[in-house]
Amino acid sequence: MNADYILQMRAISKSFPGVQALSNVDFNLRKGEIHALMGENGAGKSTLIKVLTGVYKRESGETTLNGKPIAPRSPEEAQQIGISTVYQEVNLCPNLTVAENIFIGRYPRKRGFIDWAAMNRRSEQLLARLELHVDVTEPLSHYSVAVQQMVAIARAVDISSGVLILDEPTSSLDTNEVRQLFAVMRKLRDEGMGIIFVTHFLDQVYEITDRITVLRNGELVGEYETSELPRTELVSRMIGKEWNPDDHIGDKKDDGNKGEVFLHTTDLGKKGSMESVNLSVHKGEVLGLAGLLGSGRTEIAKLIFGIDKADSGVLTIDNDMISSMYPQKAVQQGLGFTPEDRKIAGIVGELTIRENIVLALQARQGLFSFIPVRKQREIAQKYIDLLQIKTPGTEQKIENLSGGNQQKVILARWLTTQPRLLILDEPTRGIDVGSKLEIRKLILELAASGISILFISAELEEMVQCCDRVIVLRDRNQIGELQGSEMTEQRIMQMIAEGAEQHGETSGIGA
Ligand SMILES: Nc1ncnc2c1ncn2[C@@H]1O[C@H](COP(=O)(O)OP(=O)(O)OP(=O)(O)O)[C@@H](O)[C@H]1O
Ligand SMILES: [Mg+2]
């Protein structure tokens, strides 16, 4: 065994019914390195991590930590020997306080009693290291997904002594939070920790990692120095064929020539949320909502879909005034909504892929016109093929799919209803590069067929590629709008940064 390695995994295999998730995979982690684990959705990244941390039992192979064989039988056992993990889906306890979540299972004690004061103080210190200043005595559920993710990270960082595993920790963080996390990761690396980092953001891989291991279909493709593997090479290895990103997305449709207005709002608002939303979405148009986390993007989506009840303003659909919007009505009106947090508002874990896909369609048709199971299978299979959902079949439980593939199922659910307006809140979060482009292409095709799309994404590159027009938000205000050649990543960033003086104007602001 090589002394530079803190962790070595040899010939690891793991299968599930109908799926060989890992076959003979090797993985080597050095002391003091940040190591990217890369691969398409369903490649086996999370499974490898779960084998390492004792969530799953490997079927063959061996793992050594500092040269000694280990076989943890649970994540708790893995933690005890110095391996801690932040999983892809936040799995903390929303009803406990922030501090309790950080110290759950290892509460500090004084004379036999839990020392709450010490716990709160230490939580504050830990979070301060991540530049996060929140009231640690509040329930975790009071905070955004991003804050919850940071809390999970703080907990893992505190527990970990040798190996820290981060499985897509950044997908719900904004630029600033990512920067803070990276600062902490660098510090831990310099102290000698080995960090395994799973992400689908290539920029982040090249910014922070030292080495890369690529998996494909449960097999090891190779192990590389990040600086020696150009991006296109990396993607080619992940997808198993030559890759040229420029080939993949078609031209955006012509500017101008949009259809008539499909949905329109005048001063639509809810106290304490977005107070005055003014926008129109045309038929066949992709309208983007850009802004930082908390800028009001999701709030607008929720107001329009009726998840949040508006208490002022007007909403019209196809020139009909909608007096009181609620989700069922939205669906009847031809609206679809894929929420940003698939765990809360999206998937029903115990149901099959088929059931999850037909859910919205069935709801729209009403309970009395039950869609025959054979027909359901046909529909599900069609979308499995279209979106390349990686699964042994329509009857697989959705909770057994990889994170990115679950996201695709949610998208499929709304596509089946043939909506007239589709609200997509971070539809490509957690989705691999190849499928991301497929989804962007699909968005453009849907729009070309006359469907209106309200598109929210933290990735500005994607916004610029897909949108006809972008509304820029800041601090729950619409601060401007860009389209055509003015709609560039730099311009959007600049508007978000400059903020309020351009309130309410349309294009052509500034130099
Ligand atoms: N508990 C399970 N039961 C059945 N199949 C599973 C289970 N967990 C994972 N799989 C399957 O194993 C394969 C690998 O999944 P894994 O979650 O490791 O992918 P991943 O590389 O993490 O993908 P993503 O980027 O989407 O998170 C997938 O085909 C998945 O459907
Ligand atoms: Mg995963």
Side-chain angles (χ1 to χ4, degrees):
M1 291 285 162
N2 188 322
D4 287 346
Y5 290 118
I6 187 163
L7 178 82
Q8 294 196 290
M9 301 177 82
R10 284 280 155 276
I12 303 291
S13 296
K14 171 74 196 166
S15 61
F16 299 105
V19 184
Q20 185 71 40
L22 296 171
S23 48
N24 275 314
V25 172
D26 293 346
F27 179 75
N28 301 297
L29 182 68
R30 291 184 184 145
K31 285 201 177 84
E33 76 163 342
I34 300 176
H35 193 130
L37 184 55
M38 303 289 296
E40 295 181 282
N41 297 131
K45 304 177 296 293
S46 295
T47 304
L48 185 67
I49 285 165
K50 288 177 179 165
V51 165
L52 171 60
T53 57
V55 176
Y56 298 143
K57 196 165 177 294
R58 63 185 177 226
E59 280 147 17
S60 70
E62 70 158 350
T63 305
T64 57
L65 183 69
N66 292 315
K68 294 191 198 73
I70 56 163
R73 280 160 303 178
S74 68
E76 293 71 34
E77 230 181 278
Q79 271 173 16
Q80 280 156 17
I81 55 174
I83 303 172
S84 76
T85 317
V86 176
Y87 293 99
Q88 197 163 2
E89 311 285 352
V90 181
N91 54 354
L92 299 173
C93 307
N95 304 326
L96 299 184
T97 68
V98 170
E100 286 168 337
N101 268 290
I102 293 179
F103 283 98
I104 195 169
R106 51 189 196 108
Y107 292 134
R109 284 173 186 275
K110 204 157 91 186
R111 287 183 231 107
F113 294 101
I114 296 177
D115 185 350
W116 300 102
M119 184 173 83
N120 291 340
R121 200 176 51 242
R122 281 176 52 196
S123 300
E124 271 165 19
Q125 286 163 355
L126 259 175
L127 291 173
R129 219 168 139 189
L130 289 162
E131 291 182 41
L132 192 68
H133 302 281
V134 298
D135 183 348
V136 299
T137 62
E138 287 281 314
L140 188 71
S141 58
H142 285 193
Y143 295 103
S144 67
V145 181
V147 170
Q148 296 186 17
Q149 186 70 289
M150 294 297 258
V151 170
I153 290 164
R155 175 184 162 83
V157 165
D158 192 42
I159 292 174
S160 167
S161 52
V163 177
L164 176 65
I165 305 165
L166 301 167
D167 192 352
E168 296 192 47
T170 56
S171 51
S172 51
L173 305 184
D174 69 23
T175 330
N176 232 347
E177 292 162 328
V178 170
R179 194 181 47 72
Q180 286 157 19
L181 173 63
F182 282 6
V184 174
M185 284 167 69
R186 289 198 180 95
K187 187 158 170 282
L188 294 170
R189 169 183 62 190
D190 297 345
E191 292 167 8
M193 192 177 278
I195 300 176
I196 304 173
F197 181 47
V198 182
T199 182
H200 289 292
F201 297 111
L202 297 187
D203 286 349
Q204 296 182 353
V205 170
Y206 284 93
E207 186 182 336
I208 191 129
T209 70
D210 304 297
R211 293 195 308 140
I212 302 173
T213 290
V214 177
L215 301 182
R216 186 171 65 237
N217 284 328
E219 291 177 12
L220 175 69
V221 176
E223 193 180 302
Y224 315 90
E225 296 287 328
T226 307
S227 59
E228 287 165 14
L229 186 68
R231 261 165 213 253
T232 46
E233 287 278 303
L234 169 59
V235 179
S236 301
R237 306 234 154 127
M238 282 165 59
I239 64 178
K241 51 183 186 246
E242 282 299 307
W243 165 260
N244 177 2
D246 301 331
D247 293 349
H248 284 71
I249 187 143
D251 286 333
K252 202 155 60 209
K253 55 195 164 29
D254 300 334
D255 291 8
N257 288 343
K258 268 161 257 145
E260 54 207 89
V261 171
F262 173 68
L263 179 144
H264 178 78
T265 71
T266 313
D267 288 331
L268 190 71
K270 175 180 186 251
K271 278 215 183 58
S273 178
M274 284 296 289
E275 306 214 334
S276 175
V277 180
N278 289 286
L279 58 80
S280 308
V281 197
H282 297 254
K283 291 185 179 156
E285 179 184 43
V286 185
L287 175 63
L289 298 177
L292 301 177
L293 266 174
S295 61
R297 305 173 307 193
T298 299
E299 285 75 6
I300 293 184
K302 286 183 174 165
L303 271 176
I304 290 177
F305 200 70
I307 295 171
D308 286 347
K309 288 252 165 310
D311 51 25
S312 61
V314 180
L315 170 68
T316 62
I317 291 181
D318 248 356
N319 294 322
D320 284 338
M321 214 168 99
I322 310 287
S323 53
S324 156
M325 191 59 139
Y326 49 95
Q328 245 168 315
K329 191 166 182 179
V331 173
Q332 281 156 11
Q333 291 286 338
L335 270 52
F337 179 37
T338 71
E340 67 178 329
D341 187 341
R342 63 176 167 255
K343 208 171 177 189
I344 289 171
I347 69 164
V348 188
E350 318 83 78
L351 297 186
T352 63
I353 297 175
R354 166 177 57 80
E355 290 163 319
N356 269 283
I357 289 181
V358 300
L359 204 72
L361 185 61
Q362 184 68 69
R364 183 165 168 182
Q365 300 203 341
L367 284 176
F368 296 106
S369 54
F370 182 74
I371 306 164
V373 173
R374 200 167 46 88
K375 181 78 187 153
Q376 293 185 13
R377 284 216 186 93
E378 245 173 68
I379 295 171
Q381 191 57 50
K382 179 176 144 199
Y383 285 94
I384 288 173
D385 296 341
L386 182 74
L387 299 175
Q388 293 164 25
I389 297 171
K390 199 169 152 48
T391 170
T394 59
E395 303 311 303
Q396 178 76 288
K397 282 199 181 127
I398 191 174
E399 62 193 3
N400 292 340
L401 292 189
S402 77
N405 284 300
Q406 292 181 5
Q407 184 68 23
K408 293 183 186 179
V409 171
I410 302 298
L411 192 58
R413 173 187 299 169
W414 292 104
L415 292 175
T416 62
T417 64
Q418 298 178 308
R420 296 196 292 163
L421 170 81
L422 196 51
I423 305 172
L424 300 172
D425 194 355
E426 299 284 4
T428 64
R429 175 183 289 171
I431 290 203
D432 67 57
V433 261
S435 306
K436 232 175 211 168
L437 287 187
E438 291 304 321
I439 288 178
R440 292 180 198 174
K441 268 203 318 210
L442 185 70
I443 289 172
L444 295 182
E445 280 166 24
L446 290 170
S449 75
I451 295 174
S452 313
I453 299 195
L454 197 58
F455 185 39
I456 302 174
S457 170
E459 283 182 77
L460 293 182
E461 183 198 357
E462 166 167 281
M463 294 281 259
V464 169
Q465 273 183 359
C466 294
C467 295
D468 296 290
R469 204 154 50 93
V470 169
I471 291 177
V472 182
L473 301 163
R474 184 192 162 107
D475 298 334
R476 311 206 167 188
N477 284 309
Q478 286 174 248
I479 55 169
E481 190 177 310
L482 296 167
Q483 59 184 321
S485 59
E486 284 183 331
M487 190 177 60
T488 61
E489 283 179 61
Q490 292 89 326
R491 199 72 194 85
I492 298 174
M493 280 306 283
Q494 202 184 341
M495 280 180 81
I496 291 173
E498 285 168 3
E501 66 259 46
Q502 299 143 349
H503 188 98
E505 286 193 44
T506 46
S507 51
I509 301 154

